[in-house]
Amino acid sequence: MYNIDNHIEIHGRIVRDIQTETGASGVVFARFDVAVGRRGKTDSAKTDFFPCIAFGESAKTLERCFYKGKPIRIAGRMECDPYTAKDGSKRYPWTLKVEAWGFDMGEGGNGSKSQNNAVNNESGDVQTYDSWEQFEADLPFDV
């Protein structure tokens, strides 16, 4: 019939610091929210909040490289996991399952020497980078 693809891309800011967890099966994941401002005259003061989840190395890298207020681009698919609440009502929470992410090189994310080029390293210390190349060389994957 129809070949409809579930794909969403958002550009916003991390709502709170990202923290990874390990599930019962041993899979590492990170849940976090991204705030996205609406465009247009009538919606200019409104913000949408997207709950997101990332797995594996993506989750670990996101935790290390992003923090509250940092601009981010996310691509993935929306999934609904309905359940019945204790009061008997049906709930339909939606989550953006992260398939790809990227740094926002626009406003505040251009790698200039500011708080936007400081990230937490594995020991929890803040690591500061003077250039994109220096940061890129420290990533656990090829860019």
Side-chain angles (χ1 to χ4, degrees), residues 9-30:
E9 293 182 27
I10 62 171
H11 169 211
R13 292 184 180 273
I14 301 292
V15 174
R16 66 185 68 72
D17 290 342
I18 298 172
Q19 295 182 343
T20 57
E21 299 178 40
T22 303
S25 64
V27 174
V28 176
F29 65 94

Side-chain angles (χ1 to χ4, degrees), residues 118-138:
V119 297
N120 292 331
N121 63 21
E122 291 176 7
S123 65
D125 299 327
V126 174
Q127 174 70 44
T128 304
Y129 297 96
D130 294 322
S131 70
W132 173 256
E133 290 77 20
Q134 191 181 39
F135 175 78
E136 189 177 61
D138 208 20

Side-chain angles (χ1 to χ4, degrees), residues 17-102:
D17 290 342
I18 298 172
Q19 295 182 343
T20 57
E21 299 178 40
T22 303
S25 64
V27 174
V28 176
F29 65 94
R31 291 184 186 276
F32 58 97
D33 295 319
V34 175
V36 179
R38 292 186 186 176
R39 289 189 178 179
K41 292 180 181 179
T42 59
D43 293 330
S44 62
K46 294 185 181 179
T47 302
D48 293 309
F49 294 88
F50 289 83
C52 303
I53 188 166
F55 297 94
E57 289 302 315
S58 285
K60 293 177 187 178
T61 304
L62 285 165
E63 177 186 43
R64 190 169 146 231
C65 297
F66 289 89
Y67 50 85
K68 180 180 178 180
K70 178 88 172 167
I72 189 169
R73 293 180 182 271
I74 302 262
R77 66 186 185 279
M78 294 299 294
E79 290 188 5
C80 182
D81 296 312
Y83 67 94
T84 304
K86 290 180 181 177
D87 65 3
S89 62
K90 284 290 266 181
R91 304 291 171 101
Y92 300 91
W94 287 87
T95 304
L96 195 163
K97 305 288 177 150
V98 177
E99 295 173 347
W101 57 269

